[in-house]
Amino acid sequence: AQSVSQHNHHVILSEAASLELGCNYSYGGTVNLFWYVQYPGQHLQLLLKYFSGDPLVKGIKGFEAEFIKSKFSFNLRKPSVQWSDTAEYFCAVKPSSASKIIFGSGTRLSIRP
Amino acid sequence: EAGVTQFPSHSVIEKGQTVTLRCDPISGHDNLYWYRRVMGKEIKFLLHFVKESKQDESGMPNNRFLAERTGGTYSTLKVQPAELEDSGVYFCASSLRQGWYNEQFFGPGTRLTVL
């Protein structure tokens, strides 16, 4: 079955620390890859996406993610986090043959000011 | 441009009652999706409409759930009768078209609590 695994349930960092959130997926075919973010009290919104081309994708607010096809991974990174990055982050996959998005269970990120 | 809207934002009902959730997609978006997140787990796909037709309803958990999209505009998701395990956040999303490059825009969700 298609699935998305996020390695960390809750991550706590201090401001200015570097961030890497792990994501692996299981699907053998062609996929679109996404990271969504939900800030407290706000909508789920798209942080960045990969469709094709350069496997290093840059998104909003200084986030980036790298697609490593051989590892079925799409890890999210940010060199220096801010208190405003406190949110829940979801990795997601959309198989090219399907219309639905398959989400991971989410990683809650807490930033200490 | 207005985003995807959902009503109500919260609903608290007792087991056995009926609840109807509403989603208004972005104007002009033919594709409408329902997802839900139960108990802090992953967000799971429920179904997908293209205009008024159900394109994929493989994620609907059982026949207590009924989704409609009459006229191809807003959609409703009815749960009848509600059970405790139906508690969670129900998200709606819409996209302009299907396919490879079409981003799904999500609504704020409806938090359903079944007591």
Side-chain angles (χ1 to χ4, degrees):
Chain A
Q2 302 155 0
S3 66
V4 177
S5 173
Q6 291 186 238
H7 304 167
N8 308 98
H9 180 65
H10 188 194
V11 172
I12 302 173
L13 295 173
S14 298
E15 277 196 309
S18 64
L19 170 72
E20 181 160 3
L21 301 183
C23 173
N24 287 88
Y25 65 93
S26 64
Y27 181 74
T30 307
V31 295
N32 302 151
L33 297 158
F34 308 88
W35 277 95
Y36 284 86
V37 59
Q38 189 169 27
Y39 297 102
Q42 296 189 27
H43 295 204
L44 198 64
Q45 57 185 284
L46 185 65
L47 197 58
L48 49 77
K49 60 189 176 189
Y50 172 81
F51 287 126
S52 63
D54 188 345
L56 185 61
V57 179
K58 296 196 183 295
I60 60 172
K61 303 187 180 186
F63 286 90
E64 65 179 31
E66 184 175 14
F67 171 44
I68 303 179
K69 190 174 182 179
S70 60
K71 294 184 178 180
F72 298 90
S73 71
F74 191 55
N75 291 355
L76 181 71
R77 300 193 291 250
K78 185 171 183 179
S80 176
V81 294
Q82 302 172 315
W83 180 80
S84 58
D85 293 325
T86 296
E88 190 158 19
Y89 292 80
F90 296 89
C91 182
V93 165
K94 181 182 157 322
S96 62
S97 58
S99 56
K100 64 184 178 184
I101 294 175
I102 301 162
F103 286 87
S105 56
T107 297
R108 190 156 59 95
L109 177 64
S110 300
I111 305 297
R112 291 188 290 248
Chain B
E1 179 182 274
V4 177
T5 57
Q6 294 187 242
F7 182 81
S9 56
H10 294 86
S11 180
V12 180
I13 61 172
E14 293 191 350
K15 176 182 170 180
Q17 290 185 321
T18 298
V19 63
T20 300
L21 313 181
R22 174 172 169 144
C23 168
D24 286 79
I26 294 172
S27 177
H29 281 196
D30 287 342
N31 293 272
L32 187 149
Y33 311 82
W34 283 98
Y35 294 83
R36 76 170 179 177
R37 189 181 191 200
V38 173
M39 291 292 290
K41 295 187 177 178
E42 65 271 24
I43 301 168
K44 283 195 172 180
F45 169 82
L46 296 178
L47 88 160
H48 168 211
F49 283 100
V50 178
K51 297 185 181 178
E52 67 276 6
S53 299
K54 291 175 185 174
Q55 180 81 0
D56 179 357
E57 51 184 327
S58 61
M60 293 288 265
N62 52 60
N63 59 11
R64 295 186 292 103
F65 289 75
L66 175 64
E68 295 181 320
R69 194 183 181 195
T70 307
T73 54
Y74 71 90
S75 173
T76 58
L77 179 64
K78 181 191 287 188
V79 185
Q80 179 182 29
E83 298 289 344
L84 298 179
E85 63 265 25
D86 300 333
S87 294
V89 181
Y90 290 76
F91 293 100
C92 177
S94 71
S95 68
L96 186 58
R97 286 178 290 273
Q98 294 185 75
W100 194 243
Y101 289 99
N102 282 278
E103 180 179 345
Q104 294 182 21
F105 295 86
F106 282 79
T110 293
R111 182 174 294 278
L112 174 65
T113 302
V114 182
L115 303 175

